[in-house]
Amino acid sequence: MSTDFLKGKRVLITGGLGFIGSSIARRVTEKGARVTILDACLEPYGWNMANIRGIEDRVRFVKGDIRDAGLFGDLAGASDVVFHMAAQVGREISMEQPLLDTDVNCTGTIHLLEAARAMKKPPKIIFAGSRGQVGEPEYLPVDEKHPDHPTDIYGINKLAAEQYCLLYHHVYGIPVTSLRLNNVYGPRCQMHAGFYGILNWFMSNAMQDKPITVYAEGLQTRDYIYIDDVVDAFMAVAASDTANGRMYYVGSGRETVFIDMVREICRAVGKGEIVHVPFPESRKKIDITRFVVSTEKLEKDTGWKAKTDLRSGIEQTARFYEQHLGDYLNRKGNV
Ligand SMILES: NC(=O)c1ccc[n+]([C@@H]2O[C@H](COP(=O)([O-])OP(=O)(O)OC[C@H]3O[C@@H](n4cnc5c(N)ncnc54)[C@H](O)[C@@H]3O)[C@@H](O)[C@H]2O)c1
């Protein structure tokens, strides 16, 4: 897959100081794009100035909120490609503060689409969707034909935002693709909270000799996908006209038992105390038992393929945090 199309392109990355956004920023900067990062630096999310260390002189950073229609609209309107990563990302937060989630995930996305609609040549938009849009699967592996029954407000609002994106493609011809991401892990994911990015959170616990708390036996399954493979997927759909108006799953295609993932972390770190506790009630009702996706459609349309297996991805992640853990425990810089 060629990324030559990025040379000289104006690229806007919302949530670009976060885990996935900054990883995309690093890749597209390397490929010669002119990058603007828009991030509101909201708590308790994953923004971190350390995430753009080394490229800070080559990107423009705008501190701003996607709920601010004027600011966001101007930036989006002046872009060729928009990677839309900014989101309220906590599932439990979405249940406690549904209006916050709706404002950021739905209204924020509509601001972007409205700005694109006003342009003669609208930008290509790639939306970060989530496996949380599906709910408890009716069959495995989940594919693009699987029905959606989200179990939380976050999943419902991500689904609505994706539908807005696809509608604006259908009605106004705006080139939009949605990538429904599975459990993404790897370098530059936040390490200060366990409400998302659980693999990274457990790794930080293991490194600091803190117990790793696993609900029940940890027998639920997930599809863990390494950050470099996710960035490749964003590049692949950005380059593809076939992907316009479509939604795809991004995952490893491997179903991993939760407790096996935890053991891999302990192996890579060289230590880690696992403690089993009962499932909290708040989590039980929104948790999913099994999950794995098929990525056949994405592979067929774009040639993308996940390259990193869980063991080597976890090892690469551990090596990164051995060097940089301090940046992620006492994160932040001046913004
Ligand atoms: N990490 C995963 O496993 C995963 C899985 C599925 C979907 N996703 C989606 O991928 C995207 C990126 O997630 P991430 O893991 O990089 O999270 P992250 O917390 O590291 O990054 C999100 C960034 O968005 C910023 N942000 C939040 N609200 C904002 C607002 N209103 N205006 C501007 N900026 C705002 C935060 O400050 C943060 O820097 C999100 O849309 C998320 O829903 C992530």
Side-chain angles (χ1 to χ4, degrees):
M1 177 251 321
S2 168
T3 44
D4 292 350
F5 72 98
L6 286 166
K7 204 167 173 45
K9 284 276 181 335
R10 298 163 307 168
V11 171
L12 174 66
I13 306 170
T14 74
L17 289 184
F19 170 37
I20 301 172
S22 66
S23 304
I24 292 172
R26 303 181 84 83
R27 178 76 65 85
V28 298
T29 302
E30 198 183 286
K31 299 295 173 192
R34 291 148 55 198
V35 177
T36 299
I37 284 174
L38 174 70
D39 201 298
C41 303
L42 297 183
E43 300 301 343
Y45 308 112
W47 66 275
N48 196 325
M49 293 311 280
N51 280 347
I52 56 165
R53 192 174 290 150
I55 59 162
E56 61 270 64
D57 296 338
R58 288 180 282 156
V59 299
R60 177 164 73 122
F61 168 55
V62 177
K63 186 172 180 187
D65 200 302
I66 60 168
R67 290 168 290 180
D68 176 350
L71 171 74
F72 189 15
D74 288 347
L75 289 171
S79 306
D80 301 307
V81 184
V82 180
F83 295 96
H84 184 33
M85 304 297 117
Q88 191 304 103
V89 298
R91 302 178 62 200
E92 278 151 337
I93 295 175
S94 80
M95 300 301 285
E96 284 153 19
Q97 300 181 66
L99 292 178
L100 167 74
D101 195 273
T102 308
D103 273 353
V104 176
N105 290 340
C106 294
T107 310
T109 302
I110 290 181
H111 288 157
L112 167 61
L113 294 168
E114 279 293 283
R117 181 161 79 100
M119 300 312 294
K120 256 203 197 105
K121 192 176 180 307
K124 166 107 181 189
I125 296 171
I126 301 115
F127 172 73
S130 167
R131 70 170 183 88
Q133 293 169 227
V134 179
E136 187 70 52
E138 289 176 11
Y139 61 85
L140 294 174
V142 169
D143 59 17
E144 287 75 5
K145 294 196 175 83
H146 191 287
D148 298 316
H149 304 294
T151 56
D152 52 38
I153 299 283
Y154 168 77
I156 291 172
N157 284 337
K158 278 280 180 186
L159 182 58
E162 177 184 87
Q163 290 293 314
Y164 300 140
C165 289
L166 299 178
L167 178 83
Y168 274 62
H169 170 76
H170 180 66
V171 177
Y172 305 117
I174 295 169
V176 177
T177 304
S178 172
L179 292 182
R180 291 190 181 182
L181 310 177
N182 274 263
N183 290 64
V184 189
Y185 70 96
R188 300 186 179 82
C189 178
Q190 61 83 17
M191 291 279 217
H192 59 269
F195 70 90
Y196 71 111
I198 192 75
L199 190 154
N200 278 63
W201 169 247
F202 282 173
M203 186 173 283
S204 113
N205 287 359
M207 286 181 163
Q208 297 176 84
D209 297 313
K210 289 183 180 169
I212 296 173
T213 307
V214 173
Y215 298 151
E217 295 306 308
L219 296 180
Q220 67 271 44
T221 66
R222 294 288 181 268
D223 186 331
Y224 298 98
I225 174 94
Y226 188 61
I227 183 66
D228 289 0
D229 286 328
V230 171
V231 175
D232 284 349
F234 277 98
M235 297 304 113
V237 297
S240 162
D241 287 340
T242 310
N244 292 343
R246 295 192 176 176
M247 170 279 272
Y248 300 95
Y249 283 101
V250 180
S252 65
R254 298 217 162 190
E255 185 177 12
T256 299
V257 179
F258 192 82
I259 192 70
D260 291 342
M261 172 276 286
V262 179
R263 291 194 186 112
E264 284 294 336
I265 291 172
C266 297
R267 187 187 159 278
V269 174
K271 57 184 178 175
E273 182 202 352
I274 303 170
V275 177
H276 293 271
V277 298
F279 242 99
E281 280 309 312
S282 64
R283 192 78 200 188
K284 221 187 236 172
K285 287 208 174 88
I286 63 174
D287 211 65
I288 302 300
T289 319
R290 289 182 64 190
F291 212 89
V292 65
V293 297
S294 160
T295 54
E296 215 174 284
K297 185 178 167 197
L298 182 60
E299 291 174 24
K300 185 167 158 285
D301 282 3
T302 69
W304 173 89
K305 217 170 171 37
K307 296 185 195 125
T308 314
D309 65 40
L310 187 66
R311 176 161 290 184
S312 96
I314 287 180
E315 274 170 6
Q316 291 177 63
T317 307
R319 302 298 83 84
F320 176 85
Y321 286 103
E322 277 166 10
Q323 302 290 318
H324 303 286
L325 187 62
D327 287 333
Y328 291 83
L329 298 180
N330 309 301
R331 65 169 177 159
K332 318 272 181 294
N334 296 320
V335 289

